[in-house]
Amino acid sequence: MDLGIAGKKAIVCAASKGLGKACATSLAREGADITICARTPETLEATAEEIRALGGGSVNAIACDITSEEGRQMILEACPEPDILVNNAGGPPPGDFRDWDRDDWIKAVDANMLTPIFLIKATVDGMMDRKFGRIVNITSSAVKAPIDILGLSNGARAGLTGFVAGIARKTVRANVTINGILPGPFDTDRLRGNFQANADKLGITVEEFAQQKASGNPAGRFGDPAEFGELCAFVCSAQAGYITGQNLLIDGGGFPGTL
Ligand code: NAP
């Protein structure tokens, strides 16, 4: 299927690795001209080269911290009129809420709630004027089924999801959609990083713990980031103009509810 986004301009945040990289790859392969960011210049440039080698849309890489005002300015200067915006940032650390102080909460809310909100604010009116826009927020299955040790993530992402629910119906008439994609466990550095503490507690290796977790998922495995990227590209497609305000779970069936 031709997704109808060749030549569209896309910002993909936090995209040198994992899910962001997969979204950037799928969009570029569809011919979108992408601007990607991450904080570590070496990894970012290596990813940009990898995606360029696919021969799709152009790739512009901006090394910045997307959770800072300065970082957001840098990416918006590089791509001032995006047609597609994929919001993403590193997730907050796991832990016990008793140990988190105000600074921990502000950091989580900044990264996983306010950063996407400010990027939406900066881009949505232009998209509406141009009568095309696709905004995807990478959140988490924790929005639907909270994960106890990820309280900072549960809280901050629920805030973003509530905000988006309110505006996604205000933009769709101008062919601008805003949706969340909620990953369950995907095989990325982030996922494996979270396993270390659990494996240590059980006295087993990260690989052993990972195998136990993967076999507990109805699919019997973790998600492949490429599967996430392809869903993201479809949600950003010309064909997806009637999907807005949705929270699309992609978790191998991990969430046990009927709906
Ligand atoms: P990942 O593999 O660790 O990749 C994170 C990417 O974001 C890297 O490219 C990283 O590069 C970049 N990044 C992090 N903080 C940044 C910042 N402040 N500014 C710019 N770039 C930044 O993580 P992932 O698994 O893809 O996760 C992506 C998001 O999905 C996270 O919020 C995570 O919590 C959420 N999520 C993931 C899963 C999963 O199973 N993987 C499940 C649920 C939710 P630099 O470090 O160089 O900046």
Side-chain angles (χ1 to χ4, degrees), residues 14 16-17 19 39-40 65-66 88-89 91 157 183-184 186 188 190:
S16 67
K17 294 201 267 177
L19 304 179
R39 292 164 303 180
T40 315
D65 181 343
I66 198 64
N88 185 32
R157 295 186 201 279
F186 275 80
T188 66
R190 156 85 179 173

Side-chain angles (χ1 to χ4, degrees), residues 2-169:
D2 176 355
L3 299 186
I5 51 173
K8 296 286 187 202
K9 293 186 281 297
I11 291 176
V12 187
C13 303
S16 67
K17 294 201 267 177
L19 304 179
K21 175 181 175 181
C23 295
T25 303
S26 294
L27 289 169
R29 197 183 281 130
E30 287 299 319
D33 295 323
I34 62 169
T35 300
I36 59 174
C37 77
R39 292 164 303 180
T40 315
E42 298 75 27
T43 336
L44 180 66
E45 202 37 59
T47 293
E49 270 308 306
E50 215 181 289
I51 301 176
R52 280 181 199 119
L54 299 173
S58 66
V59 184
N60 189 10
I62 307 292
C64 68
D65 181 343
I66 198 64
T67 67
S68 71
E69 183 60 40
E70 190 197 359
R72 289 190 289 274
Q73 278 313 319
M74 285 169 74
I75 200 140
L76 289 167
E77 271 164 31
C79 183
E81 294 192 332
D83 305 298
I84 294 168
L85 167 66
V86 179
N87 280 313
N88 185 32
D96 186 318
F97 77 93
R98 294 170 188 84
D99 298 328
W100 297 327
D101 59 23
R102 183 178 163 77
D103 281 351
D104 297 313
W105 275 106
I106 295 296
K107 223 169 156 184
V109 168
D110 248 345
N112 299 113
M113 180 180 170
L114 296 180
T115 289
I117 288 174
F118 285 131
L119 286 170
I120 293 171
K121 181 181 167 186
T123 56
V124 76
D125 289 337
M127 290 178 180
M128 290 175 73
D129 289 346
R130 296 188 299 279
K131 299 284 182 280
F132 183 94
R134 300 285 183 265
I135 299 174
V136 167
N137 298 313
I138 299 179
T139 61
S140 171
S141 61
V143 166
K144 212 167 153 71
I147 300 166
D148 56 3
I149 56 163
L150 292 177
L152 291 167
S153 171
N154 299 338
R157 295 186 201 279
L160 173 66
T161 304
F163 165 75
V164 164
I167 61 161
R169 276 92 184 169

Side-chain angles (χ1 to χ4, degrees), residues 200-223:
D200 290 350
K201 238 182 266 170
L202 295 170
I204 58 177
T205 65
V206 170
E207 203 39 57
E208 285 166 336
F209 185 78
Q211 270 167 17
Q212 283 179 17
K213 287 296 275 188
S215 64
N217 183 283
R221 63 178 177 88
F222 295 132

